[in-house]
Amino acid sequence: MLAQIDRERLPRHIAIIMDGNGRWALKRKLPRIYGHRAGMRAVRQGVEACHRLGVSYLTLYAFSIENWKRPPAEVKLLMTLLREYLKKEMEEMQRENIHLGVIGRIHELPGAVRKDLQNALARTRSNTGLHLTLALNYGSRAELADAFSKLAMQMRKNGKMEIDEKAISRSLYTQDLPDPDLLIRTSGEMRLSNFLLWQAAYAELWVTETLWPDFRRRDLYQAVLDYQKRERRYGGLG
Ligand code: IPE
Ligand code: IPE
Ligand code: MG
């Protein structure tokens, strides 16, 4: 499958809504947390696939602001898994020259998580390969609200100021990232769940029934192949 992909026309930025961990566990009559653990393996597959292809940006929706509504034990486990992931994958990230980034209300995460994140960001800062961004405590509407507050503050400081699309994009957590070209969601749900609403305006959507813990490199290659068959028109005539 890899051979069929046109390396000249890769999506520059792939974003993934990693969904279906709970259903994966339920199918096996296991507690949901087993699904989250199994989902970590799929993260490695997605990252590896992008690395092998030479995709520049990969953004993973790992924890939404709305996910705090879940039972405290599940939230706690998700935070623990994140810390485990950062520890376990650091060597691999260095070897593969991966540059880690985060988007979301990071300051609201537990202190220990923030510390591990800061450490991982610092260690991968000078890496020049795949830009891997984790969306943590992320919500697109919260991001927009934060951006508008920032702009309002700048406006108060500077007096008159024009708020155009560029100014808004520059004020989002994603200011350093290009807009996603391909947005993948696993486990069949046809919704964005408050992910990159502004940035995904012209992203190509690709939804698979595969549950996130079953996601493998070939699924990502399949998504890219399908993406390459699409005609992107941006409202024009193509
Ligand atoms: C995605 O899987 C992981 C997170 C949202 C953190 P879910 O936990 O949402 O799994 P389902 O959707 O209940 O199957
Ligand atoms: C989206 O999945 C959030 C993440 C993958 C982190 P959810 O499972 O939280 O979304 P809904 O509740 O199905 O919309
Ligand atoms: Mg879900």
Side-chain angles (χ1 to χ4, degrees):
M1 202 188 295
L2 204 49
Q4 285 170 263
I5 294 175
D6 178 355
R7 304 295 178 106
E8 302 298 308
R9 290 174 47 244
L10 288 175
R12 187 164 174 228
H13 182 179
I14 299 179
I16 308 183
I17 302 175
M18 310 185 287
D19 198 20
N21 293 353
R23 276 162 281 178
W24 185 92
L26 197 72
K27 257 178 44 186
R28 289 165 177 75
K29 301 200 164 49
L30 294 167
R32 293 173 58 82
I33 56 164
Y34 284 81
H36 294 314
R37 207 166 259 294
M40 294 236 290
R41 286 198 296 273
V43 172
R44 191 168 314 133
Q45 293 271 321
V47 172
E48 242 181 69
C50 285
H51 174 70
R52 288 189 189 192
L53 268 182
V55 168
S56 303
Y57 295 87
L58 172 66
T59 299
L60 301 175
Y61 202 6
F63 190 83
S64 79
I65 287 193
E66 289 74 24
N67 286 150
W68 290 108
K69 292 180 200 159
R70 295 185 180 200
E74 182 172 344
V75 171
K76 199 165 165 226
L77 181 98
L78 285 168
M79 297 296 157
T80 305
L81 285 181
L82 169 65
R83 296 184 63 199
E84 260 179 42
Y85 175 81
L86 295 173
K87 273 203 193 80
K88 268 201 200 143
E89 299 299 310
M90 190 42 65
E91 224 176 280
E92 184 90 355
M93 282 196 226
Q94 296 296 26
R95 198 166 41 239
E96 297 188 341
N97 196 21
I98 292 172
H99 179 106
L100 189 70
V102 286
I103 53 171
R105 288 187 170 164
I106 303 303
H107 58 280
E108 290 172 1
L109 289 170
V113 175
R114 277 200 326 263
K115 198 165 147 252
D116 288 357
L117 272 173
Q118 270 151 16
N119 182 32
L121 295 180
R123 288 178 66 184
T124 62
R125 183 161 292 142
S126 50
N127 291 353
T128 52
L130 172 69
H131 273 69
L132 171 64
T133 304
L134 302 178
L136 293 167
N137 196 27
Y138 176 88
S140 203
R141 288 181 168 181
E143 177 185 35
L144 284 163
D146 288 350
F148 298 157
S149 308
K150 220 197 253 180
L151 286 167
M153 240 150 56
Q154 283 168 15
M155 202 138 112
R156 211 171 304 145
K157 219 168 96 193
N158 306 342
K160 231 175 109 194
M161 174 178 142
E162 200 195 339
I163 296 181
D164 54 8
E165 292 185 15
K166 275 211 183 76
I168 293 173
S169 291
R170 263 204 310 271
S171 309
L172 297 171
Y173 311 143
T174 51
Q175 58 192 27
D176 298 324
L177 307 177
D179 284 343
D181 302 293
L182 172 60
L183 177 60
I184 297 174
R185 181 164 188 149
T186 56
S187 78
E189 235 75 67
M190 299 283 185
R191 55 176 174 259
L192 292 175
S193 301
N194 203 15
F195 189 45
L196 303 176
L197 301 182
W198 171 274
Q199 299 88 335
Y202 273 103
E204 294 295 329
L205 309 181
W206 193 82
V207 176
T208 174
E209 289 297 325
T210 302
L211 303 174
W212 178 250
D214 293 326
F215 190 90
R216 294 293 173 268
R217 286 196 299 269
R218 64 174 175 278
D219 296 296
L220 191 124
Y221 299 149
Q222 186 61 58
V224 171
L225 270 176
D226 286 357
Y227 166 87
Q228 293 189 331
K229 293 190 191 112
R230 310 264 185 98
E231 188 197 357
R232 304 185 75 187
R233 299 173 69 164
Y234 301 97
L237 296 180

